[in-house]
Amino acid sequence: MFDLDNWQEIFDTIRRHKLRTFLTALSVWWGIFMLVVLLGSGSGLRNSFEHNFRDDALNSIWVYRGQTSISYQGLPAGRYLQFSNDDYDMLRNEVEGIDKLTGRYYLTGEYVVNYQDKSLSFDVRTVHPDHLFLENTLMTEGRFINDKDIREIRKVCVLGDLIVEDLFEEGADPVGEYVQVKGVEYQVVGVFTDEGGENERRRIYLPITTAQRIDSGTERIHQLMFTVSDPTLEGSKKVEEQVRQHMASLHQFDPKDDQALYINNNLQEYQQFQTVFNMIDGFLWFVGIGSIIAGVIGVSNIMLIVVKERTREIGVRKALGATPRSIIGMILLESVFLTGMAGYIGLLSGFGVVYGINALMKANDVELEFFYNPEVSFGAVIIALIILVVCGALAGLIPALQAAKVQPIEAMKQ
Amino acid sequence: MIKLENIRKSYTTGFNTLEVLKGIDLEILEGEFVSIMGSSGSGKSTLLNILGILDAYDQGNYYLGDILVKNLSQTQAARLRNQHLGFVFQSFNLLAFKSAWENVALPLYYQKIPRAERRERALKYLDRVGLLDWADHLPTQLSGGQQQRVAIARSLITQPRMILADEPTGALDSVTSHEIIKLFKEVNEEGITVVLVTHEHDIAEMTNRTIFLKDGLIDLE
Ligand SMILES: Nc1ncnc2c1ncn2[C@@H]1O[C@H](COP(=O)(O)OP(=O)(O)OP(=O)(O)O)[C@@H](O)[C@H]1O
Ligand SMILES: [Mg+2]
């Protein structure tokens, strides 16, 4: 098979049939090229989605207040629920399977932040210490809000790194400095960054208790967020159900009332998206392989024509001692070589396009919502290569068998 | 060396069956130089193809040496042809994209002989037919007579026991034809059996034995 002579025979035929070599190579090239580009786009889509998810803990559940829709134990439907510190304590102490837990208290109005002579407005979030883990907040300096801040209702704050850039001189250390937020002075205890984008990095975190104190000592909480210790879908559904039950008895609503609470299970959502993306991937493979098969059928057809053209030559070879096997080997090798080569070039150019786009996007800082970091996995490449070789062999099979049937008397015909 | 016993062969096309060979008995000894003559359609090529194991026969027995050539697989037939027989065709049948020496060496390729050795042997046989200087030429760069010499060199390279030639001079002028037949005669004088089909009496006269075919039977010798 790997004798130099076999290759020479192949190069001879390829040289003698330049046009058909080009056409078959083109169709296979296109098939593989399409497959790679499609898979790359699919991964771009998937990665953009994972990218959007990346600053939230995947195994997290977010709980929002709703409005009851079923009357329960004499209480009418249509009641608005309110969360308070009791809900936080209840989740912390009574529900099993919750790992990190935080509330959020929404401060209303504009938050003007003053430092020295600068005055800018930013978003403020008031949270418990575990919030650090729920949003994948990355501390770059100092620390995040801690339990002592909560207990002692301290006036401390944690700043996003872009705020620091805006307010402080370059090289200045903000930790320990005081900034004014809506007229109240807070000491900066830490600086963070966040992979979730620029908006996240222009936030100020305050202890939730401090915020409640400012809003005339309320005990209210607007939103609760937690991660589950068992990161399976079942585990998180179990915890979700428990939370619903406990909340139902605390707030006296029907546990079957799905309007009373809005529960956002990120894991479930993530897995639903994964299912969708797997389906998209499957579809792309289907289309890609379809175009490869079209290419392969083209190769097969042209090889068949070539075998017809070469009938006499094959007859002569047989008269001179070529066995059917050697003829089959010759045609198969030619077919595998042709599809393999063309496919390999298709693979490379497909890669070129996918990574070229990726590099261009990175270089120009293009951030598209539905397209991020397109790539083609190594496994997909291996599969594509296997497909190529198998298809090459399949494409050559029928023509090769046809060639093997050529009778040596063909050589004798005038 | 060759023995045919009551060989019959017919072709069926559509509903018609045409009996081409109707019982050929023939013996050819080692080292003979035989020509086959007969009118067009008398079955000369059919007989030669059977002798060359290029085609199967319907009835009878064909012995090549002590091998009974019957019901062979394609692979077995290919081996026998490659080892024992050489072919020269009317239309030369050189592969157009291969040089003269590569054409000569082709039968050795199917014996899995390495390229360097193939080349060496091919050059030897090209020299033998007087075409050493043309070794690297393509067939289209050669005259008809030269092409047929290359074909003869190709038929000799495996050192066969018998060379079969179907109207080897059919496409050549008479001067060249005589040169080619002379070459066959030299080959025969080295002990190789030569069987050729021809229409021309003067060529048949240069052989040692002539077989006339008529209506599918051997008419006279
Ligand atoms: N494959 C075939 N199928 C059907 N008929 C055939 C086939 N080959 C040969 N014949 C017929 O068999 C007969 C003998 O053919 P053959 O080629 O042996 O004749 P020939 O003596 O070589 O004639 P020529 O001198 O014209 O070459 C002819 O009538 C021919 O038409
Ligand atoms: Mg004939």
Side-chain angles (χ1 to χ4, degrees):
Chain A
M1 265 283 169
F2 294 100
D3 186 348
L4 180 72
D5 289 303
N6 294 318
W7 293 108
Q8 199 169 12
E9 299 272 309
I10 288 171
F11 292 137
D12 277 335
T13 30
I14 284 173
R15 237 181 296 132
R16 271 185 304 151
H17 303 90
K18 284 200 186 73
L19 183 64
R20 69 104 194 188
T21 302
F22 175 73
L23 289 177
T24 48
L26 189 71
S27 62
V28 171
W29 173 84
W30 179 247
I32 291 287
F33 177 76
M34 282 303 289
L35 178 71
V36 172
V37 169
L38 285 175
L39 290 179
S41 322
S43 84
L45 205 62
R46 183 190 286 262
N47 288 345
S48 76
F49 155 83
E50 304 219 327
H51 188 65
N52 292 339
F53 252 79
R54 79 202 171 286
D55 68 317
D56 299 328
L58 273 184
N59 56 340
S60 66
I61 296 179
W62 296 13
V63 185
Y64 304 89
R65 304 153 304 156
Q67 186 183 10
T68 60
S69 61
I70 306 171
S71 61
Y72 183 67
Q73 295 187 345
L75 294 165
R79 276 184 306 130
Y80 289 95
L81 295 194
Q82 299 289 356
F83 297 156
S84 70
N85 292 345
D86 292 345
D87 290 85
Y88 177 86
D89 295 338
M90 186 263 299
L91 292 186
R92 172 103 290 170
N93 301 323
E94 291 172 33
V95 179
E96 262 174 54
I98 287 182
D99 185 18
K100 308 291 184 195
L101 171 67
T102 176
R104 274 185 190 174
Y105 178 79
Y106 304 160
L107 287 171
T108 46
E110 177 126 325
Y111 280 80
V112 180
V113 178
N114 294 306
Y115 176 71
Q116 291 171 350
D117 53 345
K118 294 201 182 95
S119 165
L120 293 162
S121 81
F122 298 103
D123 243 1
V124 175
R125 237 181 216 163
T126 77
V127 298
H128 289 99
D130 279 356
H131 197 277
L132 181 66
F133 304 103
L134 273 126
E135 288 255 358
N136 289 355
T137 305
L138 307 168
M139 297 309 297
T140 55
E141 276 172 75
R143 60 167 178 87
F144 198 65
I145 290 157
N146 63 20
D147 289 329
K148 209 170 173 203
D149 298 333
I150 298 289
R151 247 184 287 124
E152 297 179 0
I153 317 181
R154 285 176 165 175
K155 292 203 180 77
V156 294
C157 68
V158 180
L159 302 181
D161 57 347
L162 292 183
I163 297 181
V164 172
E165 259 176 44
D166 289 347
L167 287 181
F168 292 83
E169 303 280 319
E170 227 186 289
D173 183 10
V175 175
E177 294 293 307
Y178 286 86
V179 295
Q180 270 191 12
V181 181
K182 210 175 185 179
V184 180
E185 290 232 309
Y186 294 84
Q187 187 175 27
V188 179
V189 292
V191 177
F192 70 92
T193 186
D194 195 305
E195 291 186 337
E198 301 212 345
N199 280 344
E200 294 287 333
R201 292 161 65 189
R202 285 189 207 282
R203 286 230 154 86
I204 299 173
Y205 283 106
L206 301 180
I208 190 167
T209 46
T210 311
Q212 288 171 328
R213 161 78 48 93
I214 288 164
D215 269 10
S216 58
T218 179
E219 293 246 309
R220 278 194 191 172
I221 290 178
H222 291 103
Q223 177 190 350
L224 287 156
M225 302 152 78
F226 54 85
T227 61
V228 294
S229 345
D230 173 7
T232 64
L233 185 57
E234 280 158 38
S236 86
K237 292 303 282 181
K238 221 187 262 169
V239 176
E240 183 187 326
E241 194 43 43
Q242 268 197 68
V243 168
R244 192 182 292 282
Q245 295 288 347
H246 278 86
M247 288 268 188
S249 68
L250 185 67
H251 294 281
Q252 295 185 315
F253 63 84
D254 190 329
K256 288 193 254 336
D257 188 347
D258 55 6
Q259 303 285 303
L261 288 180
Y262 295 122
I263 297 185
N264 202 339
N265 189 329
N266 278 323
L267 192 61
Q268 187 179 13
E269 215 169 284
Y270 181 78
Q271 295 206 338
Q272 281 163 354
F273 271 110
Q274 288 297 346
T275 313
V276 170
F277 282 113
N278 287 341
M279 278 163 63
I280 291 176
D281 261 7
F283 177 72
L284 295 182
W285 272 102
F286 178 77
V287 173
I289 288 183
S291 55
I292 292 177
I293 288 175
V296 164
I297 290 174
V299 174
S300 192
N301 259 324
I302 294 179
M303 299 270 309
L304 211 52
I305 293 169
V306 170
V307 165
K308 278 255 152 61
E309 275 175 19
R310 290 169 70 184
T311 301
R312 188 184 186 81
E313 177 201 325
I314 292 167
V316 172
R317 286 174 182 275
K318 286 198 152 181
L320 298 181
T323 56
R325 220 180 127 139
S326 69
I327 298 287
I328 289 175
M330 178 173 82
I331 306 281
L332 276 189
L333 194 62
E334 192 182 318
S335 169
V336 170
F337 174 75
L338 205 59
T339 36
M341 256 339 239
Y344 183 65
I345 295 172
L347 205 64
L348 288 187
S349 38
F351 262 90
V353 167
V354 169
Y355 285 95
I357 287 176
N358 196 347
L360 269 179
M361 281 176 68
K362 284 209 173 110
N364 297 314
D365 267 334
V366 181
E367 287 234 7
L368 300 179
E369 194 176 350
F370 295 113
F371 202 78
Y372 175 78
N373 194 23
E375 56 192 3
V376 180
S377 73
F378 188 67
V381 172
I382 297 296
I383 293 176
L385 283 176
I386 292 172
I387 289 175
L388 266 181
V389 174
V390 171
C391 284
L394 284 181
L397 198 60
I398 295 173
L401 293 177
Q402 199 71 26
K405 269 194 241 153
V406 171
Q407 291 300 316
I409 19 172
E410 293 293 339
M412 286 295 189
K413 293 196 176 146
Q414 308 297 311
Chain B
M1 131 161 226
I2 272 187
K3 201 170 166 200
L4 298 184
E5 294 172 354
N6 194 29
I7 292 289
R8 287 170 177 272
K9 170 82 180 175
S10 58
Y11 289 111
T12 306
T13 39
F15 295 105
N16 302 319
T17 300
L18 178 69
E19 261 208 291
V20 181
L21 300 181
K22 301 173 182 168
I24 302 277
D25 289 301
L26 176 65
E27 212 166 324
I28 296 174
L29 302 176
E30 187 104 42
E32 275 198 279
F33 190 11
V34 182
S35 55
I36 301 175
M37 293 194 78
S39 56
S40 185
S42 58
K44 304 182 294 291
S45 295
T46 306
L47 177 59
L48 200 77
N49 290 346
I50 289 172
L51 288 178
I53 328 181
L54 297 170
D55 205 356
Y57 50 94
D58 302 334
Q59 277 180 45
N61 293 312
Y62 166 23
Y63 294 94
L64 174 63
D66 39 15
I67 306 162
L68 173 59
V69 178
K70 204 170 190 176
N71 302 328
L72 298 180
S73 74
Q74 280 206 46
T75 306
Q76 290 169 319
R79 295 257 156 76
L80 280 183
R81 282 195 298 270
N82 187 258
Q83 281 165 15
H84 300 298
L85 304 173
F87 294 93
V88 177
F89 309 95
Q90 180 178 353
S91 46
F92 323 135
N93 276 338
L94 300 178
L95 302 193
F97 54 96
K98 285 186 181 294
S99 67
W101 83 260
E102 285 171 327
N103 266 289
V104 172
L106 192 59
L108 298 183
Y109 173 67
Y110 293 111
Q111 290 183 2
K112 308 223 180 333
I113 287 173
R115 189 175 167 88
E117 189 187 334
R118 292 207 306 267
R119 183 177 155 85
E120 194 183 318
R121 278 166 71 173
L123 293 181
K124 198 176 99 192
Y125 280 93
L126 274 176
D127 193 18
R128 165 90 191 272
V129 298
L131 287 175
L132 187 57
D133 294 341
W134 301 84
D136 291 314
H137 286 65
L138 291 175
T140 46
Q141 297 166 322
L142 302 175
S143 72
Q146 289 173 323
Q147 289 189 51
Q148 198 61 301
R149 283 165 186 275
V150 172
I152 291 170
R154 179 176 69 185
S155 74
L156 291 171
I157 197 161
T158 55
Q159 297 172 298
R161 298 163 74 178
M162 176 161 75
I163 287 185
L164 300 165
D166 195 353
E167 300 187 40
T169 60
L172 303 174
D173 62 63
S174 58
V175 177
T176 322
S177 296
H178 275 93
E179 284 171 18
I180 293 295
I181 296 303
K182 242 185 256 163
L183 191 54
F184 275 119
K185 203 162 180 63
E186 285 170 30
V187 166
N188 173 249
E189 275 158 11
E190 280 168 31
I192 297 174
T193 313
V194 177
V195 180
L196 56 84
V197 169
T198 183
H199 275 127
E200 292 149 85
H201 282 280
D202 54 337
I203 284 177
E205 269 161 24
M206 294 174 74
T207 65
N208 300 338
R209 176 182 170 195
T210 304
I211 295 161
F212 291 92
L213 276 189
K214 197 180 172 191
D215 296 332
L217 287 168
I218 293 177
D219 192 31
L220 64 136
E221 296 202 18

